[in-house]
Amino acid sequence: MAAGGGSPSIVEFFGGEDGYRCGYCRSDTGNISHGMWAHSMTVQDYQDLIDRGWRRSGKYVYKPIMNQTCCPQYTIRCRALHFQASKSHKKVLKKMLKFISKGDVSKVASEEEPMDSHIEDVATCDFAYKSESQVSQSDLTPLAVDQAERVENEDEDSGETKEEGNVQKVESDSVQIRADKDTPVPAEPSHSAKAVHAPPKPGKGADLSKPPCRKAKDIRKERKLQKLLQNQMGTAEGSQLQGDQTFLLQNSKPKTNQPKNIEDFVFVPLPDDARHKLEAEHAPNGPECGYGSFHQQYWLDGKIIAVGVIDILPYCVSSVYLYYDPDFSFLSLGVYSALREIAFTRQLCVKAPDLCFYYMGFYIHSCPKMRYKGQYRPSDLLCPETYVWTPIEQCLPLLERSKYSRFNQDGKAVDEGRLKELGRVRVLHKRTVMPYSVYKKRRKGPSDEASVQQYASLVGQTCSERMLLFRS
């Protein structure tokens, strides 16, 4: 996945009329999706695509046909800066801290669902015969300006402007894997057992003339939070943080009798006698790490126990997949990694203010096992017709009545990004970039207008004018 500014996205569209096996309800032919192969993909294009209900599995990008598929899949995002861990989330974080510090967590099978545990399996088995493209790399490399045949204005009535191919060579592998070494992530043991205090003996009570004693744990936590706050303020380069960023920094300050957030569990120091050491290796805290696809690795005592695949996009961190060592499933690594990725999103937002959402893939209400994503709140679901975000609390009553629902209750609202001019869709044909209006006149054989029309309607006008649709 490219950051943009160089090679454009180049895609092959496959349509989606046939049904395939569903990995959720196990229907043999109920899963119905549109699909396309991304030979290259910029982060901005992919951001715009997932905001229209698309999702990637490797280089295959698919969009469920929501009103036809057996298990409608709604894009879900969490508003990371306002996220508050639930009781069950805190239980997972405490369990990890207790295991790291004391090593005495009972290995009970976890009932928590790993983030996107089924997405990869569904995509690969349902679209196996389309897992590779047969197009040669040379056909996908548009000619440079000094080599290209100039595409003249062949549609004088439409007033089309000239289009020239001036595209750099497409990289053979568009997915980047980045695992920069970072410092060990500090943690703190969980003191889940309540202390039983015996009544003081006569003459041995507290000295009321002295200030009350403070626990060393509380002092360490306060110092750590103060240091974190100073670092965050420093990265802002003296500029005044506003809106959601201010909200994030305010929530980093210790407050009396306030619920703990993720940072309270993640960014606290370990005791000197901790039994284990957990490291999370990921990209640096800021946009200088670049945008694209990354592997976030979790190392326990020098052994890798989990890898999370994430996409860092202009407005979000998108969770793609997680795989882990089943010997450590008792640590609920799916939930734990999701919470760590939310915390990572909040860190990135300090330097990249627009990057403030955490995308969790698809929410599938008709599959009870996949409803756990709705527990990461506040969160929104994407309306499948108008592509506007709606708070999940407003969506759930509608999904209880029908597995497919339009969330936007404004009956007059339409898709603002819908296709308006088919002739402006960009096409890559014989290594030359041209608008569809020109390609249509040059094409020999049966018309493919219906297929191009379907493609452009699904990706929207903006992406259809920016991405290159490969035509043989």
Side-chain angles (χ1 to χ4, degrees):
M1 190 175 296
S7 300
S9 301
I10 301 178
V11 298
E12 281 184 83
F13 180 65
F14 296 133
E17 288 75 26
D18 300 325
Y20 303 92
R21 181 176 179 274
C22 177
Y24 303 106
C25 70
R26 307 302 179 186
S27 168
D28 289 334
T29 59
N31 185 9
I32 306 176
S33 303
H34 297 289
M36 58 186 180
W37 186 264
H39 294 278
S40 63
M41 179 69 67
T42 68
V43 293
Q44 185 61 62
D45 285 338
Y46 186 56
Q47 175 74 69
D48 291 344
L49 286 174
I50 62 176
D51 284 338
R52 293 184 64 83
W54 291 83
R55 191 77 180 159
R56 80 174 182 90
S57 175
K59 292 186 177 183
Y60 188 78
V61 190
Y62 61 101
K63 184 183 191 303
I65 303 179
M66 298 290 282
N67 59 353
Q68 298 180 30
T69 191
C70 55
C71 298
Q73 303 166 49
Y74 299 90
T75 303
I76 182 171
R77 73 177 187 184
C78 172
R79 284 170 258 156
L81 303 192
H82 297 272
F83 172 77
Q84 289 291 336
S86 67
K87 194 172 182 179
S88 62
H89 294 150
K90 292 177 182 178
K91 185 177 179 180
V92 171
L93 292 170
K94 290 178 180 178
K95 179 169 58 176
M96 176 64 80
L97 294 180
K98 185 176 181 181
F99 174 73
I100 294 172
S101 61
K102 298 181 180 180
D104 59 354
V105 175
S106 60
K107 296 186 177 182
V108 180
S110 172
E111 297 179 356
E112 305 288 355
E113 189 69 21
M115 185 62 66
D116 269 353
S117 60
H118 298 297
I119 293 297
E120 192 79 9
D121 293 338
V122 172
T124 53
C125 71
D126 292 352
F127 306 103
Y129 79 101
K130 291 176 181 175
S131 61
E132 293 184 8
S133 172
Q134 304 301 318
V135 180
S136 66
Q137 189 62 40
S138 60
D139 291 336
L140 294 168
T141 307
L143 297 171
V145 175
D146 56 350
Q147 299 172 314
E149 171 190 359
R150 296 181 63 85
V151 181
E152 301 295 340
N153 184 358
E154 299 181 12
D155 191 359
E156 297 177 354
D157 295 335
S158 66
E160 293 280 0
T161 57
K162 297 180 181 180
E163 291 278 347
E164 296 180 354
N166 183 14
V167 184
Q168 299 176 0
K169 184 176 180 180
V170 179
E171 296 293 336
S172 59
D173 187 357
S174 62
V175 179
Q176 300 176 348
I177 298 177
R178 179 78 170 273
D180 293 339
K181 192 75 173 177
D182 202 356
T183 55
V185 178
E188 164 137 355
S190 169
H191 301 280
S192 56
K194 294 183 179 179
V196 179
H197 299 281
K201 295 180 180 180
K204 299 294 184 181
D207 186 349
L208 299 179
S209 64
K210 296 181 180 180
C213 296
R214 299 180 61 194
K215 292 183 179 180
K217 177 191 73 171
D218 294 334
I219 296 175
R220 291 197 303 270
K221 182 165 64 174
E222 182 176 321
R223 289 174 180 171
K224 185 66 180 179
L225 290 173
Q226 288 175 349
K227 183 177 180 181
L228 176 64
L229 181 61
Q230 292 172 355
N231 290 339
Q232 290 175 331
M233 293 300 291
T235 56
E237 298 179 353
S239 60
Q240 182 178 2
L241 298 176
Q242 299 177 349
D244 285 339
Q245 281 189 294
T246 303
F247 177 89
L248 173 60
L249 294 179
Q250 288 175 346
N251 277 299
S252 297
K253 299 178 181 179
K255 295 180 181 180
T256 305
N257 297 327
Q258 291 294 320
K260 292 183 178 180
N261 54 35
I262 311 174
E263 289 78 9
D264 294 327
F265 293 96
V266 174
F267 301 116
V268 288
L270 276 171
D272 295 334
D273 59 348
R275 296 288 301 274
H276 298 288
K277 178 181 179 182
L278 179 68
E279 299 177 77
E281 297 186 2
H282 51 65
N285 294 354
E288 65 268 16
C289 69
Y291 297 94
S293 300
F294 298 85
H295 282 188
Q296 192 165 24
Q297 304 174 358
Y298 296 86
W299 293 79
L300 182 67
D301 301 331
K303 175 185 177 181
I304 191 166
I305 63 170
V307 177
V309 182
I310 61 173
D311 292 333
I312 301 180
L313 303 175
Y315 309 130
C316 72
V317 169
S318 175
S319 177
V320 181
Y321 192 62
L322 174 81
Y323 50 95
Y324 60 91
D325 186 337
D327 290 343
F328 295 92
S329 59
F330 65 93
L331 290 174
S332 304
L333 292 173
V335 175
Y336 180 77
S337 64
L339 297 172
R340 289 296 298 260
E341 288 168 8
I342 292 175
F344 183 46
T345 304
R346 290 152 72 122
Q347 289 178 333
L348 291 176
C349 184
V350 174
K351 293 186 178 180
D354 291 337
L355 204 164
C356 57
F357 295 104
Y358 176 62
Y359 282 46
M360 297 175 281
F362 289 133
Y363 174 81
I364 307 171
H365 193 77
S366 59
C367 180
K369 195 176 182 181
M370 297 301 292
R371 293 185 183 182
Y372 70 95
K373 295 182 183 181
Q375 298 172 4
Y376 295 81
R377 300 192 181 185
S379 58
D380 309 302
L381 298 184
L382 187 67
C383 177
E385 296 181 11
T386 61
Y387 304 112
V388 296
W389 294 100
T390 307
I392 192 170
E393 294 83 359
Q394 299 177 25
C395 303
L396 295 181
L398 300 174
L399 293 175
E400 284 294 323
R401 294 196 292 267
S402 173
K403 64 181 181 180
Y404 172 77
S405 179
R406 170 191 168 114
F407 300 139
N408 191 332
Q409 296 304 294
D410 182 356
K412 297 181 179 179
V414 296
D415 171 18
E416 295 296 335
R418 66 189 182 280
L419 176 67
K420 301 179 180 68
E421 297 183 57
L422 182 62
R424 295 179 62 86
V425 174
R426 295 182 81 198
V427 170
L428 176 62
H429 177 58
K430 293 183 178 180
R431 301 182 63 191
T432 304
V433 178
M434 63 187 75
Y436 180 71
S437 59
V438 174
Y439 162 78
K440 182 179 178 181
K441 292 186 176 183
R442 291 188 176 188
R443 176 180 171 82
K444 297 178 181 179
S447 172
D448 64 351
E449 183 170 337
S451 175
V452 176
Q453 175 89 32
Q454 185 183 54
Y455 153 80
S457 298
L458 293 168
V459 303
Q461 186 74 42
T462 299
C463 280
S464 71
E465 292 186 31
R466 202 166 52 207
M467 301 192 304
L468 303 183
L469 175 64
F470 177 80
R471 309 310 285 170
S472 57

